[in-house]
């Protein structure tokens, strides 16, 4: 177990049972310096996963529960008059931490949503004309309920695009569920968990992602995928170049997680549903045809050159 | 997901297709009953309206009703559904009905193919060059339609599908030429759907009476075209001999088609002229040749009165080569010919006899008498007209003494009659005179309006001599052609001859007409004229004389097949060329596994595939994982070097699952 990444996966697997693939995807997302969106029904372990990642990576962590009356200042902080000094001083909000868990992001109004999303994009917040840089590394793990639930403000496409990946957890299988029901309280386990990485190690791993070898053959494959998404009548519109970059970056992180320094078509295929699922829209405009099914169709339609 | 073949059609596509198909069926309006065309039109207009208002699209039951109605319409006019017209009527009706049904892309494909078929059926009726151009244009459009409807998304503009269509047609060109040259030709027509029956062909026939030639003179239709091997003779010598009329009942003159074959007693006094004639269908079996023909074309006979008669009637266009001598002397007169050349019909009146007796007294020789007769036509007030007054029971007498207005047949027949009364053997010759030279193709066009009749008399020491009494009345007739457009249709009105018009528009129009005719002539000569004989000749020229009959067909199939194979291989090679050799070696590895039933999916990565194979056949684990990891290293990793490639090739070569 000399690979810290393997240890990460194993430790996480002890808390979130039977979801190794999702855990790996989430880790790959963070290694690729991307923000993660977890979409699923309430109660399947979204928040636990976010907690878990924060603890395993040894990051300081804040949670913002999004509600419909949440204001931007509740996220980024506000300036308060300091009577002793006779001036305004800035009280940073919960966004000033290395890992921010934005819980149920689609319950807040678009105004509050965009305050966070702006921070994600710029890596800094601006209050009263003064910019405050956010800590490094800075991750946002947002969770959201499926759009058809009552009382949600769905994220617009342009803001969805800021998340490198969107993953789903889904129900556990029978064996995992039995273990979960009979085992210890997850929260207690989480508190006992120790960090597997320190910040230096994390940064080193992030740097290693860039060193994964990308051959021409794999670039051909990625381009074929992008081209197909643009020409097929199945999709409303094709994948953007940003989506292409995201795909390649996530795939490299995935390869690194698997302990490889060369990118294989399998890596691209593994991260494809998570990276492009929220960026693809069916031309048929039926909810059932979204996301994962479209990604599967894309993978199955493009032969590996 | 909706299958691509069921994608609904765009409005532009529907309009374009309807327009193209209407144009495709348009020439058939001339061929089928007008009520079938009317139904076609109604259905097409209705379908066009339905583009904007889709509520108009008929449902299943209404469509069935319309179909039954259309079928009834066809059956009403063609009850036994046999023959060319019935087939075409059915095809056109079905085309319109299929249009009514057009909803999705699959229907477009079907319609385009029905359209192709309908285009071909046009050639059951006509084989003009303009029709070929028309058909090619529509072929181009229909193919573009097919290209456009096969695309997943509509093209931004029309240039793209038209370009693809053009490149497809150009690619088909070599195959087309190959098939044209090699397709076995038959002596008899390939299909006999009644193409020749019932079609009224005009032309000089074996029977003339007052008015039969003047009727022809109003037709600008082409009678034949002539290519000369040398100089084109001057107009005065362009007498195209057809039937020779010996017998008369006073009104009609008839030819004798059963004359004996020609003897060898023609004495040539000048040069021989060689030329080829492309004769359009005519009412009889006569072939036209300059006076007098000496070389007889194939499948025809030269009679003793120098009629050139084909063995079979000229029901379709024929092309033949002839030689003629323009200066000649025929030999002595046979007794039988003298008798035939002197027989008189009933209805010789005393005034005619008096006229001839007067001439006989004034002239010492037959030649002088002939000149006297011509002088008579010249000096008395005879007029040359296309609309002569109606003649009664004795046309010759009435014409000579009362009306004095007539066309060439009046002059030729009455002159012949007068000569016979005078005891000079004489006969009437029918045919054409003159013709126009097409400056663009350097060939001669002879039209029906050039139809002519003249006389021949037998003179001592000279033999049969041509005498054209029309020249005495209207000398311009021989120098110029009658322009059918300038005919003044008042009875008795004199004929105006075509003058060269100086108007620019007119000159351009003329140029265009000549150009079109030149195109048509080349089309007839090079494409339609490519007969069995020309094919045999061409094959011999190419040193392939042994290719005949069925062998030719085999050769056609073989060569075309080879050509297509060649195209396929080049295309395959081009696809393959782009592939990395390592990748094709890996492909070989996959093919070997395929024989064991382990098929790699197109989107399956090498690692996944290897895992699956090892899972299924653990005994292959060693070699499969070695090959796969080497492949991954070379293709996706940094291990792409020569020794690795060689090792990989060796491993795959030795891999025998």
């Amino acid at each position: 177990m000399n690979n810290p990444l393997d240890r990460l996966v194993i430790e996480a697997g002890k808390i979130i049972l039977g979801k190794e693939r999702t855990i790996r995807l989430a880790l790959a997302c963070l290694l690729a310096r991307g923000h993660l969106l977890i979409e699923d029904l309430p109660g399947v372990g979204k928040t636990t996963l976010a907690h878990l990642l924060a603890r395993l990576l040894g990051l300081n962590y804040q949670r913002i529960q999004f509600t419909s009356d949440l204001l931007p200042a509740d996220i980024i902080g506000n300036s308060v008059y300091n009577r002793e000094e006779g001036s305004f001083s800035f009280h940073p909000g919960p966004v000033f931490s290395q890992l921010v868990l934005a819980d149920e992001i689609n319950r807040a109004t678009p105004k509050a949503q965009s305050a966070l999303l702006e921070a994600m994009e710029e890596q800094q917040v601006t209050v009263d004309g003064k910019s405050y840089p956010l800590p490094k590394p800075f991750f946002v793990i947002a969770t959201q309920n499926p759009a058809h639930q009552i009382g949600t403000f769905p994220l617009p496409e342009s803001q969805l695009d800021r998340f490198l990946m969107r993953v789903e957890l889904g129900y556990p299988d029978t064996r995992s569920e039995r273990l979960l029901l009979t085992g210890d309280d997850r929260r207690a386990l989480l508190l006992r968990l120790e960090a597997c990485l320190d910040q230096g190690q994390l940064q080193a791993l992030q740097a290693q992602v860039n060193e994964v070898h990308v051959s021409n053959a794999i670039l051909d494959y990625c381009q074929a995928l992008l081209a197909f998404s643009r020409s097929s009548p199945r999709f409303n519109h094709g994948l953007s170049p940003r989506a292409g970059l995201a795909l390649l970056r996530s795939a490299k992180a995935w390869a690194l997680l698997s302990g490889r320094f060369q990118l294989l078509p399998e890596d691209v295929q593994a991260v494809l549903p998570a990276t492009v699922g929220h960026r693809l829209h069916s031309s048929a405009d039926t909810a059932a045809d979204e996301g994962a099914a479209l990604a599967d169709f894309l993978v199955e339609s493009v032969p590996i050159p | 997901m909706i299958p691509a073949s069921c994608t609904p059609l765009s409005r532009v596509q529907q309009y374009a297709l309807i327009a193209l198909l209407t144009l495709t069926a348009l020439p058939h309006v001339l061929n089928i009953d007008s009520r079938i065309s009317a139904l076609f039109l109604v259905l097409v207009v209705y379908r066009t309206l339905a583009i904007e208002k889709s509520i108009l699209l008929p449902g299943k039951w209404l469509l069935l009703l319309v179909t039954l109605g259309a079928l009834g319409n066809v059956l009403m006019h063609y009850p036994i559904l046999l023959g060319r017209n019935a087939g075409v009527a059915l095809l056109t009706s079905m085309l319109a009905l299929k249009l009514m049904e057009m909803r999705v892309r699959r229907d477009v494909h079907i319609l385009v193919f029905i359209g192709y078929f309908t285009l071909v059926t046009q050639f059951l009726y006509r084989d003009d060059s303009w029709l070929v151009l028309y058909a090619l244009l529509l072929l181009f459009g229909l193919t573009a339609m097919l290209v456009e409807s096969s695309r997943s998304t509509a093209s931004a503009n029309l240039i793209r599908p038209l370009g693809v269509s053009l490149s497809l047609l150009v690619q088909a060109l070599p195959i087309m030429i190959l098939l044209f040259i090699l397709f076995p030709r038959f002596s008899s027509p390939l299909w006999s759907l009644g193409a020749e029956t019932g079609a009224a062909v005009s032309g000089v026939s074996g029977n003339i009476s007052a008015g039969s030639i003047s009727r022809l003179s109003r037709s600008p239709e082409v009678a034949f075209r002539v290519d000369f091997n040398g100089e084109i003779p001057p107009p005065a010598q362009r007498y195209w001999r057809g039937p020779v009329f010996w017998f008369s009942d006073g009104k009609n003159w008839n030819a004798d088609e059963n004359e004996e074959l020609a003897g060898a007693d023609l004495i040539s006094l000048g040069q021989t002229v060689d030329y080829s004639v492309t004769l359009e269908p005519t009412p009889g079996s006569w072939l036209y040749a300059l006076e007098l023909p000496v070389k007889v074309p194939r499948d025809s006979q030269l009679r003793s009165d120098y009629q050139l008669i084909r063995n079979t009637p000229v029901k379709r266009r024929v092309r033949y080569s002839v030689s003629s001598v323009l200066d000649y002397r025929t030999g002595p007169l046979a007794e039988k010919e003298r008798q035939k050349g002197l027989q008189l019909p009933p209805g010789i009146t005393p005034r005619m006899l008096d006229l001839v007796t007067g001439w006989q007294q004034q002239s010492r020789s037959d030649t002088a008498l002939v000149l006297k007769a011509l002088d008579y036509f010249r000096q008395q007030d005879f007029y040359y007209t296309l609309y002569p007054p109606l003649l009664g029971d004795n046309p010759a007498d009435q014409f000579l003494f009362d009306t004095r207005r007539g066309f060439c047949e009046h002059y030729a027949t009455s002159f012949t009659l007068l000569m016979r009364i005078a005891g000079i053997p004489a006969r009437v010759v029918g045919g054409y005179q003159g013709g126009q030279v097409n400056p663009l193709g350097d060939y001669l066009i002879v039209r029906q309006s050039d139809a002519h009749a003249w006389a021949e008399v037998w003179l001592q020491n000279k033999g049969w001599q041509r005498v054209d009494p029309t020249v005495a009345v209207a000398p311009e007739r021989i120098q110029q052609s009658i322009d059918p457009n300038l005919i003044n249709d008042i009875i008795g009105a004199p004929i105006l001859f075509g003058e060269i018009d100086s108007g620019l528009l007119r000159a351009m129009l003329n140029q265009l007409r000549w150009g079109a005719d030149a195109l048509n002539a080349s089309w007839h000569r090079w494409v339609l004229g490519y007969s069995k004989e020309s094919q045999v000749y061409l094959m011999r020229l190419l040193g392939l004389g042994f290719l005949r009959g069925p062998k030719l067909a085999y050769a056609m199939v073989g060569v075309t097949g080879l050509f297509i194979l060649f195209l396929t291989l080049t295309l395959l090679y081009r696809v393959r060329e782009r592939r990395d050799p390592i990748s094709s070696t890996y492909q070989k590895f996959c093919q070997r596994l395929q024989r064991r039933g382990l098929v790699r999916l197109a989107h399956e990565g090498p690692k996944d595939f290897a895992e699956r194979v090892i899972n299924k056949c653990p005994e292959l684990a060693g070699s499969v994982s070695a090959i796969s990891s080497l492949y991954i290293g070379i293709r996706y990793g940094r291990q792409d070097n020569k020794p690795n490639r060689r090792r990989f090739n060796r491993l795959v070569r030795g891999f025998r699952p």
Side-chain angles (χ1 to χ4, degrees):
Chain A
M1 275 315 130
N2 33 20
N3 189 341
L5 288 170
D6 285 341
R7 236 183 78 218
L8 269 177
V9 177
I10 288 165
E11 289 297 321
K14 287 178 185 164
I15 311 270
I16 308 250
L17 300 166
K19 294 286 168 203
E20 193 194 323
R21 192 177 171 81
T22 313
I23 293 166
R24 277 178 174 273
L25 278 172
L27 281 171
C29 179
L30 299 187
L31 283 180
R33 298 174 211 256
H35 304 294
L36 181 69
L37 180 65
I38 308 174
E39 180 179 297
D40 221 317
L41 297 165
V44 290
K46 296 192 293 284
T47 318
T48 313
L49 177 63
H51 269 266
L52 175 74
L53 290 172
R55 287 206 67 99
L56 281 175
L57 298 174
L59 303 172
N60 63 49
Y61 146 83
Q62 291 270 9
R63 171 180 166 158
I64 311 170
Q65 177 63 49
F66 277 50
T67 55
S68 54
D69 55 357
L70 190 79
L71 293 174
D74 297 335
I75 300 170
I76 57 178
N78 45 12
S79 294
V80 178
Y81 184 69
N82 191 327
R83 196 184 293 243
E84 284 149 32
E85 290 174 20
S87 63
F88 281 96
S89 64
F90 179 63
H91 281 235
V95 78
F96 285 86
S97 58
Q98 288 169 317
L99 198 151
V100 178
L101 171 63
D103 221 355
E104 301 187 304
I105 190 168
N106 59 345
R107 288 214 180 275
T109 55
K111 192 175 176 180
Q113 288 174 359
S114 55
L116 176 71
L117 293 162
E118 209 177 311
M120 284 161 62
E121 189 66 17
E122 310 289 328
Q123 300 271 329
Q124 62 176 21
V125 288
T126 306
V127 177
D128 294 340
K130 196 162 176 245
S131 294
Y132 303 93
L134 292 170
K136 282 192 177 175
F138 176 71
F139 293 128
V140 172
I141 296 178
T143 72
Q144 74 170 4
N145 298 320
H148 52 78
Q149 291 227 326
I150 299 164
T152 55
F153 295 93
L155 290 174
E157 276 166 40
S158 59
Q159 300 197 339
L160 273 179
D161 204 30
R162 307 226 170 122
F163 291 98
L164 185 68
M165 285 190 196
R166 182 184 67 179
V167 295
E168 283 156 21
L169 276 164
Y171 297 119
D173 55 53
T174 329
R175 208 168 60 90
S176 308
E177 187 141 32
R178 175 62 69 96
L179 272 174
L180 184 74
L181 292 172
T182 54
D184 290 334
D185 180 31
R186 295 296 118 182
R187 279 186 200 285
L189 284 175
L190 259 178
L191 289 174
R192 266 185 268 139
L193 202 63
E194 278 174 29
C196 294
L197 292 177
D198 59 39
Q199 294 196 5
Q201 278 176 311
L202 180 62
Q203 274 172 13
L205 282 171
Q206 284 178 337
Q208 277 184 354
V209 167
N210 289 335
E211 282 165 30
V212 170
H213 177 69
V214 179
S215 66
N216 283 329
I218 209 79
L219 288 175
D220 285 346
Y221 180 51
C222 286
Q223 283 191 301
L225 286 168
L226 294 176
F228 182 82
S229 79
R230 290 164 193 168
S231 68
S232 166
R234 179 91 185 261
F235 305 114
N236 203 4
H237 45 75
L239 290 170
S240 64
R242 191 198 286 178
L245 284 169
L247 180 64
L248 199 61
R249 205 144 50 95
S250 331
K252 280 155 88 174
W254 182 271
L256 189 71
L257 262 177
S258 314
R260 268 183 285 107
F261 278 89
Q262 59 204 15
L263 196 54
L264 297 191
E266 285 88 339
D267 300 323
V268 176
Q269 289 173 356
V271 298
L272 190 106
T275 29
V276 306
H278 57 298
R279 299 174 215 255
L280 280 179
H281 291 275
S282 162
S283 54
D285 205 28
T286 51
D289 205 24
E290 293 283 329
L294 282 178
D296 287 345
F297 170 72
L298 182 58
V299 166
E300 279 162 24
S301 305
V302 181
I304 296 170
Chain B
M1 144 136 189
I2 311 165
S5 62
C6 294
T7 317
L9 303 168
S10 75
R11 281 173 49 240
V12 182
Q13 260 183 330
Q14 296 184 46
Y15 277 122
L17 189 63
I18 290 177
L20 280 171
L21 291 177
T22 311
L23 286 176
T24 302
L26 187 67
H28 274 322
V29 169
L30 299 171
N31 308 327
I32 52 176
D33 196 280
S34 57
R35 272 159 294 186
I36 307 253
S37 310
L39 183 73
F40 180 83
L41 197 71
V42 167
L43 290 178
V44 165
V45 168
Y46 184 84
R47 184 62 185 84
T48 315
L49 291 177
I51 296 175
E52 298 297 338
K53 294 196 184 346
S54 56
I55 190 128
L56 287 176
L57 277 177
K60 205 168 68 182
W61 292 108
L62 184 59
L63 205 58
L64 185 68
L65 214 66
V66 175
T67 309
L68 288 176
L71 196 65
N73 192 28
V74 172
L75 283 175
M76 211 147 60
H77 300 112
Y78 303 98
I80 50 168
L81 273 183
L82 270 181
R84 185 177 54 161
N85 290 352
V88 168
L90 200 62
L91 187 66
T92 345
S93 304
M94 291 302 157
L95 185 63
L97 288 170
K98 185 68 206 171
L99 259 178
M100 295 299 280
E101 225 185 20
M102 173 176 74
R103 280 161 199 272
V104 291
R105 191 183 289 171
R106 202 177 65 94
D107 298 327
V108 175
H109 295 180
I110 294 174
L111 275 166
V112 167
F113 281 100
I114 302 179
Y116 284 151
F117 190 72
T118 312
L119 270 187
V120 173
T121 57
Q122 304 287 1
F123 296 100
L124 295 178
Y125 293 90
R126 277 173 290 274
D127 47 15
D128 308 333
S129 50
W130 70 263
L131 187 65
V132 175
L133 285 179
Y134 185 78
L136 278 180
L137 220 62
L138 282 175
L139 187 67
F140 174 51
L142 282 173
T143 309
M145 196 72 227
L146 197 62
V147 170
E148 176 63 24
S149 70
S150 307
R151 286 174 58 87
S152 53
T153 48
S155 311
N157 51 33
L158 283 176
I159 296 170
R160 239 189 97 87
L162 286 176
V164 175
S165 167
L166 190 68
S167 81
L168 280 175
L169 291 188
V170 169
Q171 281 167 31
L173 204 65
I175 297 178
M176 187 183 95
I177 293 172
L178 260 176
L179 292 179
F180 173 75
I181 291 176
L182 291 178
F183 194 89
R185 297 304 200 269
F186 302 93
S187 318
S188 55
L190 198 53
W191 52 77
S192 149
L193 293 166
E196 295 110 16
T197 54
V201 280
S202 56
V204 176
S205 66
N207 173 306
I208 61 167
S209 57
S212 60
I213 292 192
S214 47
R215 256 197 306 281
L216 281 179
S217 286
R218 276 163 238 157
S219 157
E221 263 178 67
V222 173
F224 51 89
R225 297 182 177 86
V226 193
D227 292 297
F228 284 93
N229 287 353
E231 286 278 300
I232 300 180
Q237 284 193 301
R238 288 187 218 139
Y239 278 88
W240 301 96
R241 191 184 184 89
V244 175
F245 306 98
W246 290 95
F247 311 112
S248 172
D249 60 357
K251 281 183 183 172
N252 297 303
W253 285 78
N254 292 309
D256 182 2
E257 287 187 60
N258 304 315
E259 272 282 328
E260 292 161 28
L261 294 188
D265 42 8
L266 184 75
I267 299 156
S268 166
L269 298 176
Q271 286 219 319
T272 318
V273 184
D274 298 325
Y275 52 94
S276 319
V277 178
T278 311
L279 181 64
E280 301 292 315
T282 74
S285 320
W286 286 277
L287 299 181
Y288 294 89
L290 282 176
E291 294 197 312
L292 289 170
V294 285
K295 204 192 93 191
V296 183
R298 254 178 322 99
D299 300 332
S300 55
Q301 295 170 346
L302 188 62
R303 298 292 160 81
S304 62
D305 52 359
Y306 300 100
Q307 298 185 81
L308 202 53
I309 295 180
R310 199 163 181 265
N311 296 346
T312 50
V314 185
K315 284 184 177 173
R316 36 182 50 238
R317 192 176 292 112
V318 290
R319 188 175 164 81
Y320 54 89
S321 307
V322 212
S323 303
S324 294
V325 284
L326 305 181
D327 258 331
Y328 52 84
R329 184 178 293 166
T330 60
L333 188 67
E335 187 47 39
K336 211 172 145 196
E337 277 200 332
R338 175 184 295 279
Q339 279 174 15
K340 279 206 293 181
L342 285 176
Q343 56 187 344
L344 286 172
I348 304 296
T349 54
R351 337 190 233 189
M352 289 162 83
L353 290 173
D354 286 349
L355 184 67
V356 175
T357 322
W359 294 343
Q360 275 173 330
Q361 282 163 1
Q362 288 169 32
S363 45
R364 269 172 292 158
S365 68
D366 286 354
T367 317
L369 196 138
V370 169
L371 292 175
K372 263 270 172 299
L374 289 177
D375 277 344
Y376 174 75
F377 283 119
R378 200 172 291 132
Q379 282 154 12
Q380 304 296 320
D381 53 346
F382 280 95
Y383 291 101
Y384 186 49
T385 176
L386 265 178
Y387 290 85
L390 269 164
L391 297 171
D393 291 339
N394 196 342
D397 179 75
Q398 266 180 302
F399 167 68
L400 280 172
F401 301 105
D402 303 334
T403 64
R404 294 191 169 175
R405 276 161 174 75
F407 200 59
C408 50
E409 68 266 35
H410 298 87
Y411 293 96
T413 53
S414 53
F415 178 82
T416 306
L417 219 51
L418 292 172
M419 287 303 108
R420 285 185 179 183
I421 295 169
I424 304 173
R427 59 194 183 193
V428 179
V429 184
Y432 298 86
Q433 202 286 320
Q436 286 170 293
V437 179
N438 186 343
L440 294 177
D442 203 29
Y443 61 94
L444 197 72
I445 309 173
V446 179
R447 297 176 190 280
Q448 295 299 352
S449 57
D450 293 317
H452 194 51
W454 59 93
E456 260 183 339
V457 292
W458 193 86
L459 300 171
Q460 198 66 46
N461 297 333
K462 286 186 180 166
W464 287 101
Q465 285 290 307
R466 177 175 67 229
V467 180
D468 190 352
T470 311
V471 179
V473 184
E476 323 77 289
R477 169 67 184 86
I478 303 311
Q479 293 304 325
Q480 289 171 13
S481 286
I482 296 171
D483 187 339
N485 300 321
L486 295 179
I487 290 170
N488 197 342
D489 38 347
I490 300 164
I491 289 179
I495 293 172
L496 298 169
F497 288 90
E499 296 282 336
I500 292 158
D501 210 303
S502 56
L504 180 68
L505 195 71
R506 180 122 191 144
M508 273 166 61
L509 213 66
N510 268 334
Q511 279 288 320
L512 218 66
R513 246 183 7 214
W514 289 129
D517 197 88
L519 184 75
N520 246 326
S522 328
W523 172 252
H524 290 154
R525 185 169 175 183
W526 298 113
V527 180
L528 299 180
Y530 185 69
S531 61
K532 190 179 181 186
E533 288 74 26
S534 346
Q535 193 174 39
V536 169
Y537 179 74
L538 180 70
M539 287 300 128
R540 211 175 291 142
L541 213 65
L542 293 173
L544 302 166
F546 57 91
L547 285 178
R548 276 161 179 272
K551 274 191 212 153
L552 207 59
Y554 300 146
M556 175 183 78
V557 172
V559 173
T560 316
L562 276 179
F563 185 75
I564 292 172
L565 192 72
F566 167 75
L567 278 183
T568 318
L569 286 180
T570 13
L571 284 176
L572 266 183
Y573 182 70
R574 269 186 19 208
V575 171
R576 224 174 245 170
E577 208 177 23
R578 273 186 242 137
R579 192 174 268 174
D580 190 351
I582 280 298
S583 185
S584 27
T585 314
Y586 182 69
Q587 217 64 47
K588 220 173 281 168
F589 162 74
C590 294
Q591 275 162 14
R592 289 195 181 155
L593 282 170
Q594 202 164 339
R595 278 179 233 148
R596 297 249 339 220
L598 297 156
V599 185
R600 187 177 84 94
L601 305 171
H603 66 270
E604 200 172 18
K607 192 165 134 279
D608 285 352
F609 181 55
E611 277 166 15
R612 192 159 63 90
V613 168
I614 292 167
N615 233 337
K616 275 228 172 124
C617 314
E619 72 275 12
L620 295 175
S623 50
V624 168
S625 66
I627 288 173
S628 293
S629 61
L630 199 52
Y631 174 66
I632 289 168
I634 294 170
R635 193 153 163 78
Y636 300 109
R638 292 180 211 265
Q639 285 135 32
D640 187 4
N641 50 35
K642 268 197 182 150
N644 269 341
R645 276 176 179 251
R646 230 175 288 143
R647 227 183 99 220
F648 178 66
N649 285 335
R650 203 173 52 236
L651 278 177
V652 172
R653 229 178 295 130
F655 179 66
R656 294 271 181 270

